[in-house]
């Protein structure tokens, strides 16, 4: 009886249903815990949800690869979800038209430098090519960063860790540097949060003001599009 | 029904994106190509399709859930990369500091002053 009870988790994970259910469950539970904690910017809700999955897998002694194969059925939706990001992009178009000049002078250099700084520093510190490919799109919003790192030959788990830390660090550095540089324009602050801190920075920007939030979404979207186009092409030329 | 129709349109744009990057041998992903194609399509039409917006809202709302299985992987592979911790600190902490600094300086240099109607005393 006990033996068959212990073998039950692995039986249930033979079809993708258990992995999908666990992912949904952890998503809702993680969100709830995140609300209880008062929505801290240093600990994104997605990290709590992931920890719930990790704990469940370890407690039930289910292999991580088995979970990943099952969850792949859900992750398949990332393709159409990425296409769906075209809708907010289209809705931002009037901002882009109104401010095309500062955007043109700021966004491409900022997005290129964000990738160059991280790859260069990682290379100087002795990172392998795989790690450099995983860290290069670290300022890009996750669904698009995943497709970029696949093009470059990086590791998705390493990228995901890098994305979370980058989002938290970008939020921290923006709050410090804005005081030092005495910047009060919420359009500039929002844009910097979105370009460098993707979705995590954008959440912070919406807490500051709707203007900062709108510009953060814009910065995040344009950085994603620009980096998705430039990085794989640059990578092909350099490596 | 409208949501399913919108979902079908998203899938068709994803497939078109895939066809485009495969035929032209582009290094960008099918999803990103599909996103650009659908944006371009809306710009040409001058408006969005209601069905697509209906299908997109729930998908965008659960984006965090779709990328979460990738975050789970971090905890199982972290040990393999422990010897490169310095590279991670350099790229993620110092690299992000430098890119935030660059963005703030560039952006405050090139952004025109805010129109006088909403003054910056809200800060």
């Amino acid at each position: 009886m006990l033996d068959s009870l212990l073998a039950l988790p692995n039986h249930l994970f033979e079809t993708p249903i258990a992995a999908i259910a666990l992912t949904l469950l952890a998503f809702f539970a993680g969100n709830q815990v995140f609300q209880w904690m008062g929505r801290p910017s240093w600990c994104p809700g997605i990290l709590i949800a992931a920890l719930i999955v990790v704990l469940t897998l370890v407690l039930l002694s289910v292999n991580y690869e088995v979970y990943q194969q099952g969850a792949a059925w859900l992750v398949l939706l990332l393709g159409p979800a990425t296409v769906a990001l075209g809708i907010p992009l289209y809705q931002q178009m009037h901002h882009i038209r109104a401010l095309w000049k500062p955007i043109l002078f700021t966004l491409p250099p900022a997005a290129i430098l964000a990738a160059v700084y991280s790859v260069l520093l990682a290379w100087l510190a002795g990172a392998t090519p795989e790690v450099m490919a995983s860290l290069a799109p670290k300022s890009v919003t996750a669904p698009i960063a995943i497709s970029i790192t696949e093009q470059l030959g990086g590791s998705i788990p390493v990228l995901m860790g890098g994305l979370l830390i980058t989002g938290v660090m970008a939020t921290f550095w923006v709050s410090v540097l804005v005081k030092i540089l005495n910047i009060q324009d919420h359009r500039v602050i929002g844009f910097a949060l979105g370009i460098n801190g993707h979705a995590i920075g954008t959440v912070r920007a919406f807490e500051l003001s709707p203007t900062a939030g709108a510009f953060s979404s814009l910065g995040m979207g344009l950085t994603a599009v620009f980096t998705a186009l430039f990085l794989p092409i640059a990578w092909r030329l350099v490596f | 029904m409208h949501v399913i129709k919108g979902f079908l349109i998203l899938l068709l744009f994803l497939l078109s994106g895939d066809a485009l990057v495969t035929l032209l041998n582009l290094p960008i992903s099918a999803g990103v190509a599909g996103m650009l194609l659908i944006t371009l399509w809306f710009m040409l039409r001058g408006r969005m399709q209601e069905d697509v917006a209906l299908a997109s809202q729930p998908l965008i709302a659960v984006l965090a859930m779709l990328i979460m299985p990738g975050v789970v992987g971090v905890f199982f592979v972290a040990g393999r990369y422990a010897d490169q911790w310095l590279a991670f600190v350099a790229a993620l902490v110092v690299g992000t500091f430098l890119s935030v600094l660059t963005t703030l300086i560039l952006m405050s240099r090139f952004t025109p002053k805010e129109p006088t109607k909403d003054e910056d005393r809200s800060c």
Side-chain angles (χ1 to χ4, degrees), chain B residues 31-67:
Chain B
V32 172
M35 175 185 77
L36 295 177
L37 286 176
I38 206 168
T39 311
L40 201 68
W41 168 246
F42 291 150
M43 285 170 71
L44 289 174
R45 294 190 58 191
R47 62 187 173 86
M48 281 193 310
Q49 255 151 312
E50 206 46 51
D51 299 341
V52 181
L54 278 174
S56 298
Q57 278 156 7
L59 275 175
I60 293 175
V62 297
L63 264 180
M65 186 184 72
L66 299 181
I67 59 177

Side-chain angles (χ1 to χ4, degrees), chain A residues 22-24 26-27 46-47 49-51 53-54 57-58 64 67-68 71 74-75 77-91 93 97 99 102 105-106 109-110 113-114 117-119 121-122 125-128 130-131 135 138-139 142-144 146-148 151 155-158 160-166 169-170 173-174 177-178 181 183-189 191-192 195-196 211 215 225 228-229 232-233 236, chain B residues 7 9-15 17 21 24-49 52-78 80-81 83-115 118 120-123:
Chain A
L22 175 60
T23 309
L24 294 171
F27 176 65
I46 179 176
L47 183 61
L51 278 169
V53 174
V54 172
L57 294 179
V58 171
Y64 158 67
Y67 165 75
Q68 211 65 306
L74 198 62
V75 175
L77 285 175
L78 209 49
T82 308
V83 179
L85 290 174
I87 281 87
L89 186 65
Y90 173 72
Q91 286 166 335
M93 213 46 91
R97 285 218 181 90
L99 280 171
F105 283 119
T106 312
L113 284 172
Y117 287 143
S118 63
V119 172
L121 287 165
T128 59
E130 188 205 14
V131 168
L135 293 181
K138 74 179 178 64
S139 293
I144 294 174
I146 288 173
S147 63
I148 296 175
Q151 300 286 334
S155 146
I156 291 176
V158 175
M160 296 309 295
L163 280 180
L164 287 178
I165 299 172
T166 301
M169 287 315 299
W173 287 126
V174 167
L177 287 170
V178 156
L181 300 172
I183 294 171
Q184 285 165 354
D185 188 336
H186 275 205
R187 298 174 304 172
V188 174
I189 299 171
F191 215 59
I195 290 179
N196 298 290
T211 308
F215 276 85
V225 172
L229 296 175
I233 295 169
R236 208 186 251 184
Chain B
F7 188 68
I9 295 173
L10 290 178
L11 291 185
L12 291 176
F13 271 98
L14 180 60
L15 291 171
V21 299
L24 298 181
N25 192 21
L26 299 173
I28 63 171
S29 80
V32 172
M35 175 185 77
L36 295 177
L37 286 176
I38 206 168
T39 311
L40 201 68
W41 168 246
F42 291 150
M43 285 170 71
L44 289 174
R45 294 190 58 191
R47 62 187 173 86
M48 281 193 310
Q49 255 151 312
V52 181
L54 278 174
S56 298
Q57 278 156 7
L59 275 175
I60 293 175
V62 297
L63 264 180
M65 186 184 72
L66 299 181
I67 59 177
M68 201 262 284
V71 181
V72 173
V74 178
F75 298 92
F76 292 93
V77 304
R80 251 185 269 162
Y81 298 92
D83 56 328
Q84 299 186 54
W85 65 271
L86 186 63
F88 287 99
V89 174
L92 300 175
V93 180
V94 184
T96 306
F97 168 79
L98 289 175
S99 67
V100 168
L101 185 66
T102 313
T103 317
L104 285 174
I105 291 173
L106 281 174
M107 195 67 192
S108 33
R109 207 186 136 81
F110 288 112
T111 307
K113 285 270 169 288
E114 276 181 292
D118 48 61
D120 54 10
R121 70 180 112 86
S122 56
C123 314

Side-chain angles (χ1 to χ4, degrees), chain A residues 5-70:
Chain A
L5 194 65
L6 285 174
L8 191 61
N10 276 305
H11 164 73
L12 292 178
F13 272 86
E14 275 169 19
T15 77
I17 300 293
I20 294 172
L22 175 60
T23 309
L24 294 171
L25 185 81
F27 176 65
F28 288 117
N31 239 331
Q32 195 59 251
V33 175
F34 184 61
Q35 302 289 349
W36 283 335
M37 290 169 72
R39 312 179 66 87
S41 60
W42 52 269
C43 182
I46 179 176
L47 183 61
I48 305 169
L51 278 169
I52 293 172
V53 174
V54 172
L55 277 176
T56 313
L57 294 179
V58 171
L59 284 175
L60 298 178
S61 62
V62 171
N63 203 322
Y64 158 67
E65 275 84 16
V66 173
Y67 165 75
Q68 211 65 306
Q69 277 162 19

